Amino acid sequence: MFSIIPDGATYREFVLLKDGQGILLRVAVPDDVERVAAFIRSLSAESMAMRFMGGVAGVSRKFVEELCDPNLRLRACLLAVEGEGEEQKILGLGNYVGGGGAVAEVAFMIGDAHQGRGIGTLVLERLAGMAAGAGYLGFEAELLTRNEKMANVFRDTGFETRRAMEGGIIHVQFPLSAPEALRERTDLRERVATANSLVPLLRPRVVAVAGASRDPGSVGNIIFRHILENHFQGSVYPINPKADTIEGVQAYASLAALPETPDLVILAVPATKASALAKRALERGARGLLALAAGFAETGPEGARRQARLLRLARSHGARLVGPNCLGLINTHAAVQLNASLAATMPPRGRVGFFSHSAALGVVILQYAAERGLGFSTFVSAGNRADVSGNDLLQYWDEDPDTDLALLYLETFGNPRRFARLARRISHRKPILCVKSARSHAGRRVALAHIAASPRDDAEVEALFHQAGVIRADTLEDLFDIALLLSHQPLPRGNRVAIVSNSGGVATICADACETHGMEIAGPGVVDLHAMAMPEHYERACQEALEHPQVDALIASFACLGTCDPTVVARAIRRAAVRAEQTTGIAKPTLLSLMGMSGAVPVGSTALGESGGRYRTFPSYRFPESAALALSKVVEYARFRMQPAGRISGYADLSAGEARRRVEQFVEGLTGSAPAALPEPELRELMAFFGVPIAEAAAPAKSKAPQVSLNLSADPDFGPIWRFHRQGAGSILRITPLTDLDIADVLERLRLRPTSGLGETLGRLTQLVEELPWLCALEAQVLIQGEAAATGPLPLQPSLRLTFCQARSVSK
């Protein structure tokens, strides 16, 4: 999506088109002159006429050389390419040229065979980011009225364009900013493109196992056998030049010999052979690669180079890669039934998508989940996450109608800022449940050793999950407890819970756990049916509790005395739940604690004629504390879900573009990489651009007004991070950007009124942070006014300090 690119001269990014094909966007350099000239010669007369506003047979050598001579303050050209080395092929390009003012002229050339694929839109967004980083405030373009394809590019991006027509020519002009419409459209494009890019991996029609072997203990044989045994609905081919058949299936000597093009090629070979085999697979037309072997980045510099080579191959051919150093992937859908993993059995079909960093742990989780009655739609073991990450799977599941719950086992974040952006949106539609390990120093060292990635401190992770609505499970057992509840019961409408039990001691423990986790015992409260309670007693008590208007959820526990069948009690509770919903019209979650039983307890029957399967399976917990904890996590998520999606506050009186120009000039004059503080006169002017006042210096005096400290620092992975502190209220950590809901939450936790004025100050500072990617740190103090409502943003104290540095990389 559109974001300011502060160092466009080194910009390179692998992006996905709407059909899922990957391409590389990079800045044209002098070495590209011949390649660009050949691309322009390949364009049709019609395309040349659209670009140059009339009949043009060709372009001069000087024109091409200027395209390939980047000077972002004057001009830049962005290439969309596929392939690598001498085989690189240009699919399209876009460039801007400045005329000394604040607005640059932008134009595009897209190859005839690639028009309509979304290349122009992606190039425009990134060019806008580069131009904004170079100090430009807007773009303008001229096109013929019959150039509908390019008109669509400008119209579909979401930029707020202004148009004027004269003499068959359309003049388009728009500011380089990110209105909400632009964010929404780019999010949608990215989501669809990412989901489509994973189809060859998760829904392939043709699979080839390169390295399939007759040795029953080899990885290649195990993977191939698992695909066969689980009745994959497509075609699967073993590749082995030394075997005629494998597991009774004809083997092929090479990928080139296959009778049809594979969508997915599984690289069941040692790390040293993976790249060569991947190259042949990609040349054969594969769009998905699954690399199983270890021996890559987790082993050191040589392995890292080997992994980088494998990734370059995949991306240069527009393909996606799972792994290396991973377990594999699974899709249980009836139309797919693919078990391309080392897991011996296919997990039961369900509506949970599962992504795991750890390969071995992934197998254990699949087995344990099956034992507890948790079914999966898809499973992906990430390994080193050279390409496909949890962020990609989140976008796939967001689009997948067969997945209702995303389950993540993470040790690190590949891109926490992107995760936060995706999770904020997805959590309002589908719950995201995560175990984030590597919380301790020792755990982080272990994670670094086996997945070649460095985990971050836990405070940032907690802030990210809180803002994004992600449900965090502290243990794997908690993960399953919460997942069972989300999979089989409706979301609660509040935190009021009733408890029904045949044991006073168990009921007391359950009540203690509920209140400890922030829930309120309400309605009939705790109902003790005593030890000899019969199923009909449970049915009556549970129905009364669920029908009570002050009850949002029910926990029913049963301690079996002697020889008994707890499922008889479960069926009685089910009847109560069905009748209560029929009476009230409200579905309320019901949790069981059948002492000694855990998992999903099937108690289904159609005797009452209810539709759907919500009351055919209940989550049951071995102990009542587990049920209370699981319910409290879901209550917290339901509260998040009830809120409207947060929005970044917009203010019409900002001069963000001019502020960017001033800061870009400031950092341009810095020597070396050391951060530098903005001088006081420029600092006041900069804050005025964003409508943030600075108080005048006053005589030294001890103010009794409450004081809030605002500190922003730039984390290399999480991006800018806010820390707010008020004496007596403690400190709060939040990631950027801050939405209106984030700001309201901060004010509440700092024990400040919404009308204090600090909210508007934080809203304006949020836009400052988004518009100035060179910002390294901000330190400020704010004095809170009295009881009267503030009429504008609160002023920052004169001790304000802003530190900037030259950007060395693009943080997406």
Side-chain angles (χ1 to χ4, degrees), residues 23-25 78-82 89-93 119 123:
I23 60 172
L24 175 69
L25 297 182
L78 198 56
L79 304 180
V81 301
E82 66 178 4
K89 178 183 177 183
I90 297 176
L91 308 182
L93 62 83
I119 295 174
V123 169

Side-chain angles (χ1 to χ4, degrees), residues 498-510 525-539 541-542 554-566 568-570 573 591-596 622 624:
I499 298 169
V500 174
S501 177
N502 69 339
S503 165
V506 171
T508 301
I509 292 172
C510 187
V526 178
V527 180
D528 183 1
L529 298 176
H530 303 292
M532 303 309 293
M534 302 299 289
E536 56 267 27
H537 300 141
Y538 268 93
E539 182 175 346
C542 289
L554 170 68
I555 298 177
S557 68
F558 174 67
C560 188
L561 301 177
T563 302
C564 60
D565 182 3
V568 175
V569 174
I573 297 170
L591 294 75
L592 306 184
S593 179
L594 305 179
M595 307 294 284
R622 193 176 302 276

Side-chain angles (χ1 to χ4, degrees), residues 597-655:
M597 291 183 65
S598 64
V601 179
V603 292
S605 166
T606 57
L608 296 178
E610 78 280 2
S611 61
R614 179 165 56 239
Y615 296 114
R616 309 230 178 120
T617 305
F618 281 107
S620 179
Y621 302 90
R622 193 176 302 276
F623 300 109
E625 305 99 303
S626 301
L629 175 61
L631 180 59
S632 71
K633 294 284 189 176
V634 176
V635 164
E636 185 178 350
Y637 168 70
R639 186 181 297 119
F640 170 88
R641 183 94 165 243
M642 289 175 188
Q643 296 177 326
R647 301 177 72 86
I648 299 175
S649 301
Y651 300 93
D653 59 344
L654 307 187
S655 299

Side-chain angles (χ1 to χ4, degrees), residues 197 248 324 621 737 749 782:
S197 77
Y621 302 90
R749 290 170 183 264
V782 179

